[in-house]
Amino acid sequence: MARRFRPLTPERLGDLPPGCDGCTFWESARKLEPKCGAACDEGFTREWMIQVADAWGDCGLVAVEDGEPLGFVKYAPARFFPQVQWFAAGRPSDDAVLIACMHIRSEARQKGLGKVLYQAALRDLVSRGEKAVEAYAIAGPVDYAVAPTVGVDFLLRMGFTVARPHPELPLLRLELKSLAVWTENLEAVLESLRIPLGAPQRVPAPYIKPRG
């Protein structure tokens, strides 16, 4: 088993969990229902990633195990996410990078992977010299199979505070200067997570003694 973080690049678009490789919810300018898969176009996503990489840098991280995706987190300056114009809490701040979405394979959820992915994303942004990060969050129950972002409680545990309240999708913020002294080896933490992945074991059919 070898688990690693890899940059989210156009070449790794196929490494995203099924359904995420072509989702263009955040990249769409027209108003959409806040749900994963509300708009899909893999070609558009690929071109968007190239545009972001040329203008700013890689737009996220993918956690992989022996080449298989466990989950990913996507982020970039808010100007690259036109969907934010429709959020009632208001647009993100000009000085902040927006963490748009994070998705984890169903069998890898509730194992600590989301926290480690977020920490890796924040460390990446610190290394780029970014000063702050913001994210919209779901205030009520979260169905992570279709949610376009994470829950409020998750972000509060990560150290975020509410920047712009809203009863359904508030905007939260974290100043990155407080994270500059991190020393934890996040890939070692990723390796240590107890995630039950892999092909299911075949159970042999019971032996039935023939009659006669």
Side-chain angles (χ1 to χ4, degrees):
M1 177 185 69
R3 294 178 184 160
R4 297 290 184 269
F5 297 109
R6 295 289 181 259
L8 179 53
T9 64
E11 295 75 23
R12 291 199 173 93
L13 187 59
D15 289 342
L16 301 188
C20 294
D21 49 358
C23 179
T24 58
F25 170 77
W26 288 100
E27 298 84 357
S28 299
R30 61 188 177 90
K31 187 176 183 179
L32 297 171
E33 179 184 1
K35 183 176 70 174
C36 294
C40 294
D41 185 333
E42 184 173 342
F44 180 86
T45 300
R46 189 178 303 277
E47 290 301 318
W48 178 88
M49 293 174 70
I50 292 172
Q51 176 189 358
V52 175
D54 289 344
W56 178 73
D58 296 329
C59 62
L61 291 172
V62 185
V64 298
E65 177 178 310
D66 295 331
E68 291 294 320
L70 301 175
F72 79 100
V73 57
K74 182 192 294 184
Y75 45 86
R79 67 181 183 274
F80 293 107
F81 295 115
Q83 191 63 206
V84 300
Q85 67 185 301
W86 303 110
F87 279 69
R91 298 178 63 92
S93 305
D94 292 337
D95 67 338
V97 171
L98 182 72
I99 298 185
C101 60
M102 178 181 70
H103 281 280
I104 308 295
R105 280 174 54 170
S106 58
E107 61 268 45
R109 294 173 192 156
Q110 305 300 319
K111 306 297 181 183
L113 177 57
K115 177 182 177 181
V116 179
L117 254 177
Y118 244 75
Q119 288 176 328
L122 297 176
R123 175 174 288 180
D124 176 47
L125 294 172
V126 168
S127 72
R128 298 194 200 193
E130 299 292 346
K131 304 302 182 184
V133 62
E134 294 182 348
Y136 295 98
I138 298 173
V142 183
D143 181 356
Y144 280 109
V146 296
T149 184
V150 298
V152 168
D153 289 345
F154 174 83
L155 290 185
L156 292 176
R157 290 195 300 269
M158 295 296 298
F160 284 70
T161 58
V162 176
R164 296 178 187 168
H166 186 267
E168 297 178 355
L169 286 165
L171 182 69
L172 282 76
R173 181 180 173 95
L174 176 67
E175 303 295 334
L176 290 174
K177 60 183 179 181
S178 62
L179 308 178
V181 296
W182 278 3
T183 59
E184 192 171 22
N185 184 335
L186 294 179
E187 288 207 333
V189 176
L190 179 65
E191 287 275 12
S192 70
L193 298 180
R194 296 181 179 275
I195 302 175
L197 301 181
Q201 295 183 347
R202 292 183 176 273
V203 178
Y207 174 73
I208 301 177
K209 183 177 180 180
R211 295 181 179 179

